[in-house]
C-alpha cells in the first residue's frame, strides 16, 4: 500500500519532536508555520508550504497544533476548503470543546478528528505521548499508524467532542496535582526534611503518579522552568 502523504500545521515546541519522529519513520511531511524559524530546521527533510491552504491541499492526512481557540477557527477557515476528497484533518491542539464544535460542521466531505495529547515535550521526544482522539472511527483507524510513531497509548473516546473534554479533565488534574505537590513539599521543607530524600520517598509512595515521577528529577535539581503555564491551562477552560 502507498503511504499517506502528511502535512503538519503549527511547528511549535511539542510538534517539533513529533515531526522529527515522522521523518525518522520514513515520511517527508509538508510543513507550515507562520514563523520561518520554526520550519527552517526541516528544510532538507520536509516540504515547506507557502500557506495553510497549500499545506492542506498537499496531504491525505493533515495535522495541526495551534495555541488557542481563535487560531483553531482561523486555521479551519483556510484548511477545510483546501482538503482533497477523503482527506482527514486531525487537530491535536488543546482547545475548548465549544470552538472545536464550531469548526466541525465545515468539515463536510472530509473527516475531522480531535486528538489532543497528554504528555510533555520530553514524552514527544521519546515517542511516549498519549493520544486522546474523538471523531469518525474510520478516520481514527487511518491515523493510528502515524500516531504510533510518537505515542505509547492511543484512545478513541467518541465521535464528537469527547476528546476535548477529556483533555481538560486531565489538565485540571495536572494543575491540581502540581499545586498540592508544591504545598506539601513546602510543608516538608518547613519541617526540616532533606529535599532530595523527601522527593525520593514521595516518588515511591502510594501517592506517586507518572506526573510526580516525571517532576522528581527537575525538582531535585531545583529546576523550576515551567513546562505548563497558567495561560496554557486557562486557554480552554
Amino acid at each position: 500500500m502507498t503511504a499517506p502523504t502528511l502535512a503538519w500545521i503549527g511547528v511549535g515546541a511539542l510538534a517539533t519532536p513529533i515531526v522529527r519522529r515522522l521523518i525518522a519513520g520514513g515520511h517527508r511531511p509538508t510543513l507550515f508555520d507562520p514563523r520561518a524559524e520554526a520550519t527552517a530546521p526541516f528544510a532538507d527533510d520536509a516540504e515547506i508550504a507557502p500557506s495553510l491552504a497549500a499545506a492542506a491541499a498537499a496531504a491525505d492526512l493533515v495535522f495541526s497544533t495551534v495555541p488557542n481557540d481563535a487560531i483553531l477557527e482561523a486555521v479551519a477557515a483556510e484548511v477545510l476548503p483546501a482538503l482533497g476528497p477523503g482527506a482527514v484533518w486531525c487537530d491535536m491542539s488543546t482547545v475548548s470543546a465549544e470552538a472545536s464544535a464550531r469548526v466541525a460542521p465545515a468539515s463536510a466531505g472530509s473527516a475531522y478528528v480531535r486528538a489532543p495529547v497528554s504528555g510533555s515535550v520530553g514524552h514527544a521526544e521519546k515517542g511516549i505521548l498519549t493520544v486522546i482522539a474523538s471523531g469518525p472511527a474510520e478516520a481514527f483507524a487511518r491515523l493510528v499508524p502515524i500516531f504510533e510513531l510518537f505515542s505509547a497509548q492511543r484512545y478513541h473516546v467518541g465521535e464528537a467532542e469527547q476528546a476535548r473534554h477529556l483533555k481538560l479533565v486531565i489538565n485540571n488534574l495536572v494543575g491540581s496535582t502540581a499545586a498540592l505537590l508544591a504545598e506539601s513539599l513546602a510543608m516538608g521543607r518547613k519541617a526540616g526534611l532533606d529535599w532530595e530524600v523527601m522527593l525520593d520517598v514521595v516518588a515511591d509512595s502510594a501517592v506517586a503518579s507518572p506526573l510526580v515521577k516525571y517532576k522528581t528529577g527537575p525538582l531535585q535539581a531545583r529546576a523550576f522552568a515551567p513546562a505548563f503555564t497558567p495561560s496554557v491551562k486557562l486557554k480552554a477552560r
Side-chain angles (χ1 to χ4, degrees):
M1 294 179 64
T2 303
T5 52
L6 311 180
W8 202 287
I9 294 166
V11 189
L14 185 67
T16 294
I18 292 176
V19 170
R20 289 196 191 104
R21 295 189 70 87
L22 298 183
I23 293 168
H27 295 277
R28 185 177 176 87
T30 296
L31 309 179
F32 176 78
D33 193 293
R35 302 162 302 138
E37 65 271 20
T39 56
F42 300 105
D44 293 335
D45 301 304
E47 303 297 331
I48 310 303
S51 67
L52 283 166
D60 303 314
L61 307 178
V62 179
F63 299 84
S64 56
T65 42
V66 301
N68 54 47
D69 287 5
I71 295 178
L72 173 72
E73 295 189 66
V75 165
E78 295 190 48
V79 166
L80 289 170
L83 292 174
V88 177
W89 175 32
C90 175
D91 179 69
M92 307 193 74
S93 314
T94 297
V95 294
S96 73
E98 292 76 14
S100 183
R102 285 195 292 271
V103 306
S107 63
S110 58
Y112 172 48
V113 174
R114 306 81 161 156
V117 298
S118 177
S120 66
V121 171
H123 292 93
E125 290 171 345
K126 295 175 182 177
I128 56 172
L129 293 168
T130 296
V131 176
I132 307 157
S134 58
E138 183 179 352
F140 171 76
R142 291 176 61 191
L143 295 167
V144 167
I146 308 304
F147 292 154
E148 288 175 340
L149 296 174
F150 56 84
S151 68
Q153 302 290 336
R154 297 152 291 278
Y155 294 94
H156 183 247
V157 299
E159 297 284 326
E161 304 305 327
Q162 292 90 344
R164 304 295 195 190
H165 290 293
L166 188 47
K167 177 60 191 295
L168 298 185
V169 168
I170 293 170
N171 276 12
N172 192 53
L173 288 167
V174 168
S176 301
T177 300
L180 184 57
L181 180 62
E183 291 184 10
S184 300
L185 293 176
M187 180 176 68
R189 285 285 285 169
K190 186 176 180 181
L193 296 178
D194 180 273
W195 179 251
E196 292 190 12
V197 170
M198 175 170 56
L199 282 161
D200 281 337
V201 174
V202 169
D204 285 329
S205 72
V207 300
S209 67
L211 174 65
V212 170
K213 289 180 179 293
Y214 175 71
K215 292 296 185 182
T216 297
L219 285 171
Q220 287 181 326
R222 311 291 291 179
F224 299 123
F228 186 76
T229 64
S231 62
V232 172
K233 183 177 187 299
L234 293 173
K235 70 181 179 181
R237 58 190 181 275

